Amino acid sequence: FSGIFVAYGMYRFLHPEMFVEAASYLSWKMGALNTIVLIISSFTIVMAVYSAQHNKIKHCLRYLYTTFGLAAAFLVVKGFEYASKIEHGYLPYRFFQGEGVAENLHVFFGIYFAATGLHAVHVLIGMGLILWVIRKVKKGLIHDQYITPLEMVGLYWHLVDIVWIYLFPLLYLV
């Protein structure tokens, strides 16, 4: 992500008008919805850890399933966003066919798809890790005396959320 953030900063500095126009083609409402979804998912993963610490395994599993569902909801919303961009031709680089006044809009959408696509891959990895930890919980391998795998998955999930907390305002609002 650091390379993408550097590219963003450089192009934002060199072509501020392009970023203002390009952001107008993004749905801040969908981005805000996804932000809310991820913030709630951070809470549910914390509650899964808390439940495991107190040996409330059924509660832990419910929170893990909820976190997984919220991650899936995030990807569904992102899919609708991507479909809209593709339909209107707002694609990266040589695939760009959209209309716009500012030059280099294709660069913005290259950064947009790289950043949000990489984030979506991390969400998918997180979903896989959540399924893995659900399996461990069901087998009785995670309980009040040993929750390290669940805590590590929770930390990873918080990292995914934090990255989105930076992406949302940089791409949609600024």
Side-chain angles (χ1 to χ4, degrees):
F1 283 102
S2 59
I4 293 170
F5 286 127
V6 168
Y8 173 92
M10 287 176 37
Y11 279 102
R12 175 89 192 193
F13 178 76
L14 294 172
H15 305 284
E17 70 288 342
M18 170 188 64
F19 278 79
V20 170
E21 181 178 343
S24 71
Y25 299 119
L26 300 179
S27 170
W28 69 266
K29 291 177 183 177
M30 284 187 162
L33 174 62
N34 265 346
T35 302
I36 292 166
V37 165
L38 285 182
I39 289 170
I40 293 169
S41 74
S42 270
F43 172 75
T44 58
I45 198 82
V46 165
M47 291 307 295
V49 172
Y50 177 82
S51 297
Q53 288 172 332
H54 292 86
N55 219 27
K56 296 180 179 180
I57 301 307
K58 287 183 181 179
H59 288 103
C60 176
L61 285 169
R62 282 189 208 130
Y63 284 120
L64 287 170
Y65 285 126
T66 303
T67 305
F68 185 88
L70 289 166
F74 175 89
L75 292 176
V76 167
V77 172
K78 186 53 60 193
F80 280 113
E81 276 191 275
Y82 280 2
S84 172
K85 301 299 159 280
I86 292 167
E87 179 183 333
H88 292 97
Y90 294 114
L91 297 166
Y93 304 107
R94 65 181 173 151
F95 304 107
F96 184 85
Q97 297 173 350
E99 297 179 13
V101 177
E103 288 186 48
N104 301 321
L105 278 176
H106 64 283
V107 173
F108 173 86
F109 285 102
I111 293 169
Y112 168 81
F113 279 105
T116 59
L118 184 59
H119 183 263
V121 168
H122 282 80
V123 170
L124 283 170
I125 292 167
M127 291 172 76
L129 291 170
I130 291 167
L131 289 175
W132 172 73
V133 85
I134 285 171
R135 189 179 215 197
K136 285 186 149 314
V137 170
K138 283 183 173 182
K139 288 183 177 182
L141 300 174
I142 294 178
H143 45 77
D144 60 345
Q145 299 299 310
Y146 180 69
I147 60 169
T148 303
L150 177 56
E151 287 180 316
M152 295 301 109
V153 170
L155 288 173
Y156 175 84
W157 194 249
H158 292 313
L159 173 70
V160 170
D161 291 349
I162 288 170
V163 169
W164 182 256
I165 295 297
Y166 282 99
L167 289 177
F168 172 61
L170 287 176
L171 295 173
Y172 292 81
L173 303 178
V174 178

